Each structure stands twice: as C-alpha cells, then as structure tokens.
Amino acid sequence: MKNMLPAMPVSPLALTLTLALTGLALPLQAQDSGTSGVRPANKSVKEAAGSKDVLPFQATEKLLPNGLKIIIVPTGLPNIVSVQIPVQTGSRNEVEPGKSGFAHFFEHMMFRGTREIPADKYKDILTATGARQNAYTSDDLTNYHTTFSKEDLETVLRIEADRFQHLSYSESDFKTESRAVLGEYNKNSANPISKLLEVMRDTAFQKHTYKHTTMGFLKDIEDMPNQYAYSKTFFDRWYRPEYTTIIVAGDVEPKSAIALIEKYWGQWQRGKAQAPVPAEPPATGALYKHVPWPSPTLPYVAVSFHAPAFSVTNKEHAALSMLLSLSFGSTSDIYKRLQQDEQKVDQLFDFTPPSVDPGLATIGARVKKAEDTVYVRDAILQKIARIVQTPLSGQELADAKSALKYGLIRSLDNTDQIAGTLARFVHYKRSYATINQFYQVIDSLTPADLQAVAKKYLIDDGMVVTSLSNTALPTELSSLPKLASFNDQPVDSKFDVLVQASKLPQIRFKLVFAAGSAQDPTGKEGLARMTAAMIDSAGSKERKIDEVKKILFPLAASFSAQTDKEMTSFSGSVHKEKWKEFIQIALPQLLEPGFREEDFRRIKDEQKNALLLDLKDNNEEEFAKERLQTNVFAGSAYAHPVLGTVKGIDAITLDDVKQFWKKAYTTGALKVGISGDVSDAMVTSLKQALSKLPDGAGVAAIAAPVGKVSQGMEVEIIEKNTRATAISMGFPIAVTRSHPDFAALWLAKTWLGEHRSSSSHLYQRIREIRGMNYGDYAYIEAFPGGMFLSFPTPNRARQSQLFEIWIRPVAPENAHMALRVAVAELDKMVNQGLSKEQFEITRTYLMKNVFMMTATQDQQLGYALDAQWYRTPEFTKMMRDNLSKLSLADVNAAMKKHLSAQNMSVVMIAKDAAGLKDKLVSDGFSAIKYNSEKPRELLDEDLVIGNRKLNIKAEAVSITPATRVFAE
C-alpha cells in the first residue's frame, strides 16, 4: 500500500502489508504544536495557509494544561460524528527485552472496561448509540476510533474518558486476553508475507525496536500470560494525556465539543519521563536472509533499504516514497516488463512507511517460478541502479503529484474517512497542520530531490534482501551483487441511468451486468470472472493496459471489476474536472477490449494463483467460508467459487472469453448508476458511450439455486498443514432482501453475531469470556472477503442465500468445543427467542447502523442498484421502515421458521483431520483449559456444553485433502 495514497482501494496484498508494517508512528517524547488557547488550525499555521491546503475544513485546536491535545473539525456532512483518539505509543515503545507485543495487546485490553463502566455495560452503551467502533496498532501509534450519530457525542466522550483514565482488569482477564492475542498471531500465521516482513525486520535492525513487528515476537506473545505486572507498567507509562490527541470530526460545534472534553478529560494526570528508544547504528553491509515456508506457495523476493523517517520539514521521506512508487508501481516500465510482458511475477509492490524513526523502504515480488528468483532480484537491483544514476522526468513527477492530490480528495466523501485520514497524520506532532504541511512538501519536490535521496539511501551498505519459498531456491540468490555492477546494463524501459446528485467533486459510476459465475459453462468454471478481468486489467484494442494506467495515474482515476454469482459490476471513479478524459480511456476497455494473448496468459495465471494460493493456501478462513457455500449449493449454479476450479480455469480459452463478453455484456443486461456533482452532459456522454454495447438480453438467467438441507450435521474436514482450525457452518434459507422476514432475520443475526462487533453474542461467549479465538460472527447474506472489510460490498445480489456462522481459527484442541458452543448458542436463540431488552437494544443499534452501511458514495450507489435488482425500496429506507414496524414476536417467529441448530453443513480446516473426525463421531466430552481462574457459572456451563451431543454420524463426516478442493 502506498502510504501517501490513503484514497486508493486496498488489495488483499496491500492490506497484508499494512497490517504487517503499518506506516504510522509516534515520537518517544510527546510532541504537539500550539499553546493551551483555542485557535482555528488553518489560520494559525502559516505553512498551511492559502490555496495549497489539501484539507478544506476549518479546524479548531486546543492544548489542555494536562497536555491533552484537542482537534475539532466540522466537516459540513450531516448527522454523523467520528471520534479518533491516536495515542503516541506503538511497538516502537516496547524497549524492554521479552516485552514485545504490549502496544497491540492494550488495543485489546482497552475494551475490558472499568469499575464504573464494566465491559458489558460499555458495550451496551455503545450498542445503544448504533456506533461502529474499532482500533488499530502500528509501529508508532495506537488509534481508537468510533463513528456515531451526533446526538451521542457526550456519551461517547464520557465512556472513552473513563476507560482511558480508569482501565481496570484482573489477572484472569489479562490472561484470557493474552490467549486472544495469540489467536490473532495464529490467524496471521497462514500468510507468508507476514513472516517475510517479520524476518526482514529482524535482520535489518540490530538495536532499534523496529526489529519486531507490531504483533511482537512469538516467544514474547506466548509468555505474555506471565507479564501481568509489566502490563500495568506499560499502560501507566504511555496512556497519558501528553501522548494523546482527541479528534472530533463531523456534524459538531467546536465550542461545545471542547467543553465536553474538558469536562470528562481535564482531570487526567500527566505521566513521568520515559526511557529512550535505542538508536539504530549505521548499517555496514548488505544482508541476506531466507525464510523456509512449510506450505505450498510461490516464492517471494524482497529488497529493502534503510530509509529516512517521516518529516514535514525535510524532503527525504516524501522524496524516497515518491521515487519508489513511480519506479516500481503499476505505471512503471519494470512492472510492465516483469508482470505483463515476461510474466515472471504475478505481484510487484513497493512500500515506504512514514515511520517516526528511520525505517525500511521495500520493493518485493511474488515470482511464478523458483528458477526465476535471481532474475527478478537482479531486475529490481538493475532498476535501483538506474534511478540512482538517472533522474525522473518532470512530467512523471507532476503526474504523480496530481494523482496524490486527486486521490486524497477522492477519499474525503464521508466523516469517518476524513477523521481517519487526519488521525494518520496528527499523531506525529499532534497538529492538524501536519497533513497540509506534508502535501506542501510533496508539492515542492523536484526530480533533483528524488535523485539526491536515491544516492543517499539506495546503497549497498543499507540493503537487506529477503526471500521465502516452500522449495529450494537457486544458491546464487544468497550472493548479493553490488549495485554498481548494473550501471552499464540496459534496462527495459438502451437503458436508464440512476443519478445520485451531490456536491462531492468525485464522480463515481457503476455498470452492473446480470451475468456472473452462475452462468459459467460446465467445464469452464471461472469464465465470468476471467472475462471481467480481461476488461479491467488487459487494456483496450487501442491501448495496452500499461498505457491505460499511465494515462489514468495523474487523474487518480480507477476502473475496476467485481464478479459475483449472478452479477458483474464495473466501477469507475474520477474527479469531475477529468471526466471527459477519463471515459475516453476507461470505457473502451469494456466496449473494445484488447483481448491480447499475452494478457490472457497473465490473467489466467493470476486467477489460478488467486484460487490456489491466495484463497486455499494462504487464507483458511475465506477458504472454509467459500467451501461451505459450494457444499450447501452442491449440484446448482452456485456449486463452484467465483474464481472457478483448477480444471475449469485450465480449460478456458481466449475464444471462450470473447464469446462470453459478446453474450453477457449487452444493453439489455445492464443497470447504470452515477453519483457526485454530476452534470447532464456527463450522463449524456455515458449513455452515448454505452450505447455501443451489443443489443440483447444477455446470458440466460438462472433459476434460483436450491440449497441442500443436511439431515443432522454433515461435516467436511479439509486436511491441511495449519496451526489453527477454521470453522464455518450453515444451511440454505429462503430469505433475501425482498422477503418479508428479511428485517427480522437481519436483527436476529446481528444480535447473535454482528460482523466485526465485540457486542455480539457469539463474540462474547466464544472470544470474550473464553478467549478461544479472534472473533465469531453470523450472516444471512454471503459476505465474500469479510475478513478484510467492515461492511459487505454492494453488487453481490443473489436469488438464494444461506445462514452462516463463521468461527475464526481456534486452537485444534478447542475445535470440538467451539463447534458445540456455537451450536448451543444458536439453539438457545432459536428455541428461547430474544428477550424484549435484547430486541430493543439490537433494533436501536440497527436503526442507526444502517446509515453506517451506506455512508460512502460507492455504498450508496451500489445499494441503490441492488435495490433495483431485488425490486425493493432503497435499502436504508426499507430497513428503517421495516425495523420500525418489527415486533419481538416477529423476530422470534422468523427464527423458528427459518433457522435450526440441528440440520447444518459444517466445514473445518485442520491438520489432524482423522483425530478431529474421531472426536466429532465419538461425541465425547470436550474439555477446555483456561490459564486463569474463571467464574463457577462459566465452568458449569462448560460442563453442560462440553457434554452436549451433536450426534454426528461417521458416514456424515468426510475428510478431503486441501489439494483436492476446487480441483474440478
């Protein structure tokens, strides 16, 4: 992920990089700007004044006597407020040996409550506000963020002040949470890029705490239950007002907001002086480290250099980040060479995190063949040598600056995004001005600045090369050539349009075709998805994809595809000033695709790797969820993943793609929407362009797939070399958004397992009180990619759905018990029903939360088009109207009608599949061991649930090697 481009969409790879090495940082000693008086931010900082400001808001700042910094930002967007609380502490501050991981740990512990507001009460209060809340930790900061309706501002400030000043937890709570943190480590352990970055940092740093990642060293995490006393020290040291900023953005009045903060936060006491973070000595030579990987994966090669810290007064960090982004990004010549033309790699990436102290800048690649790893490494080094010697052109740099500017503007379409973007810059000096100052630095960069930073930092002594593979790599990879050795070598160089008008300058459109993987021909599974990829990732007849990207780059524009079971959507986004230029480049990819053989080979390989590596090998949670879908709908048009099968992908030809494009993407199969500050001329030009599509109804619609209802519990155990056990379970339901019971079941699943919400019931029973894993959720609509998202992606409408429970990976010895707990809680909910209080709390939450689901431009447009597909009213209005009419009796009746804890399909991914099958079939007692004392009530419940009979028959349990899943 490019840390200077917060507006860009994130891919799974970029998300992994962000989680593993987030470029957010903190100073050791708290920094701030300004005095204790109230002042408008954009009038007090001369450097941020005038037309060069990238943030168009009038902010107010105040520094309290205790050191707490306040920043109030009225956004002009109605109803919603976001509170962000960045604390200047991250893994960088874990200076004591054996104590890594505590900054991240307190991200968890801060939800444990206080004596006045225990965790359960805190969650009840938060749920009543309909808020969405989360937190994240990085190397340099921990940020707590809550977005909610404006009338709840005082409530949120009060409960946040309480937990920051009076956090209280027992040793038992501490030990329970430590298990959850270990579970998070286990969850991430299936992803090779996380391990690659961990080893890279451990190799590159000798003394500085950037040596360990935000998660910490595994041995420290495993020892964490024994560090209760130290946890108190860490919290007392860093959770202090002088290291904390409170950002309040949205529909807010500064004077009253500041008064509320002073009321609840003014008595917070300063802390004591802190020990310094050890300085890293200068690097003295190039280093190489290899990571053996136990599971099948393509090899990775990464080249890193010691890099400058983030600054708004020194150009070095901004210059280096810009240089590497231009040199190795998707518009670069090396990207075209390695990924498109030669097809040596299927991923090429760079990232230069804006850290507080000097960090690392990295260029990495996922290589298709082990024998090509040396070639790819040398191609990267060759490019490095070239950019050190040859400056970039002024036009390239100007285009990049334009992309940054419009990219930021594109992102600022909702209060949560505005506040979140601000928090990522505020933490450095606790100043609103930082983001404006940073973009002024960007604006001041020259080609000479970029070359100067290359000469200083892209040197042999500061280089660290890391590789990862499941098989042996060429021995030459361990011998690092000098950069100078590359200096002399050549381098390859008819329909309605839904209009949602607003004042937002960013224009977004969606083209939704009634064609998806359900229309894949038998034996060609994956064709719909591959056809869409050949449109958004393979250029047009006139321009190759690299030419398209180079033109779109300075526009900060995007054109992307998403394929689901019954629809494929294409989304475009561009600033209104660049509309005409954009559609002349983007739409020909759909209207006159390039269909080049070399692009087809590349995309075919990428799709196969996405199935085999990104889904099956590296993401057990999404793997289990996808397998559950195919099992429940076996024998139907939903019986294979959108990505297809290995056999199906292999069988697809370029002619198949051309024929599917011709049949599927017709005017009769199309729904169109556009939003933003849209003019009539824009709508006309869009219509005119799309009228060039073929006439016709499109591919034949499918009958609603009929799901398989299990007789009792049917279990498939996928045998895979994995550290933890992932579990998904469910059954088909007849309820979609057009069904009268949709709102009732939506409420029920929200109470049982709201996605990524710690207040949900399953989360509380499995994760919170038992510490068994990272989270547990329930769904009545398919949610592909849910582990990367807070809300479902629109334009995945389906005629048939399933009820699903997702249990995030648990320790293998707890898998049977986790399954029993989930079944027991589902059974209790269905048979006993919700209480009046539970119903009212959940309904109140949903009445507000539905606004959060449709807060962004993309969500609003997408949900509106989905409503057309389902033939329902607009989603927000429909849900609020139906929820307001809903009764407790309606919900409990709907649960009894549609849900069951007896007949269920289950998918479990486990290493010891045979052992797990024996446990399930024998139906013996499931013991669970805790590393701390638990209430008698819980232990008694464990005895009951541990003895619960699931009555799983031997013939109802199958074991499938992971290699066979989705093979054909």
Coordinates of all heavy atoms in Angstrom, one line a residue, residues 677-704:
D677 N -21.1 15.3 -8.2 CA -21.6 16.6 -8.8 C -21.7 16.3 -10.3 O -21.0 16.8 -11.1 CB -20.6 17.6 -8.5 CG -21.1 19.0 -8.8 OD1 -22.3 19.2 -9.2 OD2 -20.3 20.0 -8.7
V678 N -22.8 15.6 -10.6 CA -23.0 15.1 -12.0 C -23.7 16.1 -12.8 O -24.7 16.7 -12.4 CB -23.8 13.8 -12.0 CG1 -24.0 13.2 -13.4 CG2 -23.1 12.7 -11.1
S679 N -23.2 16.4 -14.0 CA -23.9 17.3 -15.0 C -24.7 16.5 -16.0 O -24.5 15.3 -16.2 CB -22.9 18.1 -15.7 OG -22.1 17.3 -16.6
D680 N -25.6 17.1 -16.6 CA -26.4 16.5 -17.7 C -25.5 16.0 -18.8 O -25.7 14.9 -19.4 CB -27.5 17.4 -18.2 CG -28.6 17.7 -17.2 OD1 -28.7 16.9 -16.3 OD2 -29.3 18.7 -17.4
A681 N -24.5 16.8 -19.1 CA -23.5 16.4 -20.1 C -22.8 15.1 -19.8 O -22.6 14.3 -20.7 CB -22.5 17.5 -20.4
M682 N -22.5 14.9 -18.5 CA -21.8 13.6 -18.1 C -22.7 12.4 -18.3 O -22.3 11.4 -18.9 CB -21.4 13.7 -16.6 CG -20.3 14.7 -16.3 SD -20.0 14.7 -14.6 CE -18.7 16.0 -14.5
V683 N -24.0 12.6 -17.9 CA -25.0 11.5 -18.1 C -25.1 11.2 -19.6 O -25.1 10.0 -20.0 CB -26.3 11.8 -17.5 CG1 -27.3 10.7 -17.7 CG2 -26.1 12.0 -16.0
T684 N -25.2 12.2 -20.4 CA -25.4 12.0 -21.9 C -24.2 11.3 -22.5 O -24.3 10.4 -23.3 CB -25.6 13.4 -22.5 OG1 -26.8 14.0 -22.0 CG2 -25.7 13.2 -24.1
S685 N -23.0 11.7 -22.1 CA -21.8 11.1 -22.6 C -21.7 9.7 -22.2 O -21.2 8.8 -23.0 CB -20.6 11.9 -22.2 OG -20.4 11.9 -20.8
L686 N -22.1 9.4 -21.0 CA -22.1 8.0 -20.5 C -23.0 7.1 -21.3 O -22.7 6.0 -21.7 CB -22.4 7.9 -19.0 CG -22.2 6.5 -18.3 CD1 -20.8 6.0 -18.5 CD2 -22.6 6.7 -16.9
K687 N -24.2 7.6 -21.5 CA -25.2 6.9 -22.3 C -24.8 6.7 -23.7 O -24.9 5.6 -24.3 CB -26.6 7.7 -22.3 CG -27.4 7.5 -21.0 CD -28.7 8.3 -21.2 CE -29.7 8.0 -20.1 NZ -31.0 8.7 -20.3
Q688 N -24.2 7.7 -24.3 CA -23.7 7.6 -25.7 C -22.7 6.5 -25.8 O -22.7 5.7 -26.8 CB -23.2 8.9 -26.2 CG -24.3 10.0 -26.4 CD -23.8 11.3 -26.8 OE1 -22.6 11.6 -26.6 NE2 -24.6 12.2 -27.4
A689 N -21.7 6.5 -24.9 CA -20.7 5.5 -24.9 C -21.2 4.1 -24.8 O -20.9 3.2 -25.5 CB -19.6 5.8 -23.9
L690 N -22.1 3.9 -23.8 CA -22.6 2.5 -23.5 C -23.6 2.0 -24.6 O -23.8 0.8 -24.7 CB -23.2 2.5 -22.1 CG -22.3 2.8 -21.0 CD1 -23.1 2.9 -19.6 CD2 -21.2 1.7 -20.9
S691 N -24.1 2.9 -25.4 CA -25.0 2.5 -26.4 C -24.3 1.7 -27.5 O -24.9 1.1 -28.3 CB -25.7 3.7 -27.1 OG -24.7 4.5 -27.8
K692 N -23.0 1.7 -27.5 CA -22.2 0.9 -28.4 C -22.1 -0.5 -28.0 O -21.6 -1.4 -28.8 CB -20.8 1.5 -28.5 CG -20.7 2.9 -29.0 CD -19.3 3.5 -29.0 CE -19.2 4.9 -29.4 NZ -17.8 5.5 -29.3
L693 N -22.6 -0.9 -26.8 CA -22.6 -2.3 -26.4 C -23.6 -3.0 -27.3 O -24.6 -2.4 -27.8 CB -23.1 -2.4 -25.0 CG -22.1 -2.0 -23.9 CD1 -22.8 -1.9 -22.5 CD2 -20.9 -3.0 -23.8
P694 N -23.5 -4.3 -27.5 CA -24.4 -5.1 -28.3 C -25.8 -5.0 -27.7 O -26.0 -4.9 -26.5 CB -23.9 -6.5 -28.2 CG -22.4 -6.4 -27.9 CD -22.4 -5.2 -27.0
D695 N -26.8 -5.1 -28.6 CA -28.2 -5.2 -28.1 C -28.4 -6.7 -27.6 O -27.6 -7.6 -27.9 CB -29.2 -4.9 -29.2 CG -29.1 -3.4 -29.7 OD1 -28.8 -2.6 -28.8 OD2 -29.4 -3.2 -30.8
G696 N -29.5 -6.9 -26.9 CA -29.9 -8.2 -26.5 C -30.1 -8.3 -25.0 O -29.7 -7.3 -24.3
A697 N -30.6 -9.4 -24.6 CA -31.0 -9.6 -23.1 C -29.8 -10.1 -22.3 O -29.9 -10.1 -21.1 CB -32.1 -10.5 -23.0
G698 N -28.7 -10.5 -22.9 CA -27.6 -11.0 -22.2 C -27.7 -12.5 -22.1 O -28.5 -13.2 -22.7
V699 N -26.8 -13.1 -21.2 CA -26.9 -14.5 -21.0 C -28.2 -14.9 -20.3 O -28.8 -14.1 -19.6 CB -25.7 -15.0 -20.2 CG1 -24.4 -14.8 -21.0 CG2 -25.6 -14.2 -18.9
A700 N -28.6 -16.2 -20.5 CA -29.8 -16.6 -19.9 C -29.8 -16.6 -18.4 O -28.8 -17.0 -17.8 CB -30.1 -18.1 -20.4
A701 N -30.8 -16.1 -17.8 CA -30.9 -16.0 -16.3 C -31.1 -17.5 -15.7 O -31.6 -18.3 -16.4 CB -32.1 -15.2 -15.9
I702 N -30.6 -17.7 -14.5 CA -30.7 -19.0 -13.9 C -31.9 -19.0 -13.0 O -32.4 -18.0 -12.5 CB -29.5 -19.3 -13.1 CG1 -29.3 -18.3 -11.9 CG2 -28.2 -19.4 -14.0 CD1 -28.3 -18.8 -10.9
A703 N -32.5 -20.2 -12.8 CA -33.5 -20.4 -11.8 C -32.8 -20.3 -10.4 O -31.6 -20.5 -10.3 CB -34.1 -21.7 -11.9
A704 N -33.6 -19.8 -9.4 CA -33.0 -19.7 -8.1 C -32.4 -21.0 -7.6 O -33.1 -22.0 -7.5 CB -34.0 -19.2 -7.1

